[in-house]
Amino acid sequence: AAIASAYLGITAIQASQKNLYQEDFANAVDLLDLRSDENGIRAALLSMMMVAKRSDQEIWHQEIKERSKEVAENTQRLLQRNRNNPTLSGKIEELKAIREAYARTRDAEQIPLIYAGKTEEARAVALDIQQERYRKMRVIAQELGKTAVEKARASVAESELRAEQALRSFVAVGVAAVLLAVAMVLLLNRIIAVPLATISG
């Protein structure tokens, strides 16, 4: 009973920690990275508008491409990990759709305008529909990040509760085992030792 109690307690804690690190914590980290990359893309695009040399623009464009690839990979991981959670996966799909529209306009309109030296026109596109899309992406990403952090905290609290329950259960079983052992000693003493003492007498 003591072994079974310990095994069940440890298994429950392991399952809770696995869920915490492989899902909740991973979601929080991926969403944080996603927001960081989106901010980096926006900063690189603004920097691309500010520099005049083609070589400098190409450096910032390369930064945009690399970060965009990371964003796509991050989004795919989030969707894969949360496919069984319709609410969360729905929000991630919404974020993905807005991001793809933002990326299409950036790659098809803004960047060609920057390379053509039409910085003011590129800036106008950035301040028009792109700014609204970016705002929506930021709001959804912040909301998802907040939810992920809250879920991770709840999982930590649940893991601690399971550890306490396992400890209490193990102590209770241990005390019961000691009491049973004492009772068995007394019983064996009565049914074996006492008759032996009488026979010896």
Side-chain angles (χ1 to χ4, degrees), residues 56-67:
D56 292 337
Q57 289 172 341
E58 285 171 354
I59 290 167
W60 288 114
H61 191 191
Q62 187 59 35
E63 171 85 4
I64 290 167
K65 286 177 183 175
E66 286 169 11
R67 283 188 178 267

Side-chain angles (χ1 to χ4, degrees), residues 39-82:
N39 288 335
I41 288 167
R42 192 164 190 234
L45 192 61
L46 292 171
S47 298
M48 199 176 166
M49 286 185 214
M50 291 170 67
V51 295
K53 284 174 65 179
R54 175 85 182 201
S55 58
D56 292 337
Q57 289 172 341
E58 285 171 354
I59 290 167
W60 288 114
H61 191 191
Q62 187 59 35
E63 171 85 4
I64 290 167
K65 286 177 183 175
E66 286 169 11
R67 283 188 178 267
S68 294
K69 187 181 173 189
E70 286 172 20
V71 166
E73 288 170 0
N74 244 334
T75 306
Q76 198 54 44
R77 271 199 309 273
L78 283 162
L79 283 169
Q80 184 67 24
R81 191 182 305 120
N82 297 287

Side-chain angles (χ1 to χ4, degrees), residues 24 36 85 114 143 168 179 194 196 199-200:
D24 302 327
S36 172
N85 185 335
I114 293 167
E143 187 184 314
R168 280 198 298 269
L179 292 173
V194 172
L196 275 176
I199 290 166
S200 297

Side-chain angles (χ1 to χ4, degrees), residues 20-193:
L20 173 64
Y21 288 107
Q22 291 185 357
E23 288 185 28
D24 302 327
F25 185 68
N27 279 347
V29 169
D30 280 347
L31 285 161
L32 195 65
D33 286 346
L34 192 72
R35 284 165 62 188
S36 172
D37 284 328
E38 287 293 357
N39 288 335
I41 288 167
R42 192 164 190 234
L45 192 61
L46 292 171
S47 298
M48 199 176 166
M49 286 185 214
M50 291 170 67
V51 295
K53 284 174 65 179
R54 175 85 182 201
S55 58
D56 292 337
Q57 289 172 341
E58 285 171 354
I59 290 167
W60 288 114
H61 191 191
Q62 187 59 35
E63 171 85 4
I64 290 167
K65 286 177 183 175
E66 286 169 11
R67 283 188 178 267
S68 294
K69 187 181 173 189
E70 286 172 20
V71 166
E73 288 170 0
N74 244 334
T75 306
Q76 198 54 44
R77 271 199 309 273
L78 283 162
L79 283 169
Q80 184 67 24
R81 191 182 305 120
N82 297 287
R83 63 186 176 276
N84 296 328
N85 185 335
T87 307
L88 195 57
S89 60
K91 278 283 181 189
I92 296 165
E93 285 286 2
E94 184 185 352
L95 178 65
K96 183 183 175 187
I98 297 167
R99 188 191 65 76
E100 285 173 352
Y102 180 87
R104 274 194 304 273
T105 303
R106 180 194 68 216
D107 296 339
E109 293 180 39
Q110 282 182 282
I111 291 173
L113 285 169
I114 293 167
Y115 279 137
K118 299 175 181 177
T119 310
E120 286 306 315
E121 289 176 43
R123 190 175 284 117
V125 174
L127 294 171
D128 187 24
I129 186 79
Q130 290 295 74
Q131 188 166 342
E132 180 58 24
R133 284 173 180 158
Y134 182 78
R135 189 193 64 76
K136 283 181 183 174
M137 286 191 298
R138 192 182 66 214
V139 167
I140 293 169
Q142 283 175 339
E143 187 184 314
L144 286 170
K146 187 180 174 185
T147 303
V149 168
E150 284 171 3
K151 199 166 185 298
R153 282 186 184 143
S155 292
V156 168
E158 185 187 342
S159 182
E160 287 173 357
L161 182 64
R162 284 188 180 182
E164 286 172 16
Q165 287 173 341
L167 183 62
R168 280 198 298 269
S169 173
F170 189 66
V171 167
V173 170
V175 169
V178 169
L179 292 173
L180 183 63
V182 169
M184 286 181 71
V185 166
L186 293 172
L187 180 64
L188 289 172
N189 188 45
R190 270 188 86 145
I191 62 173
I192 296 174

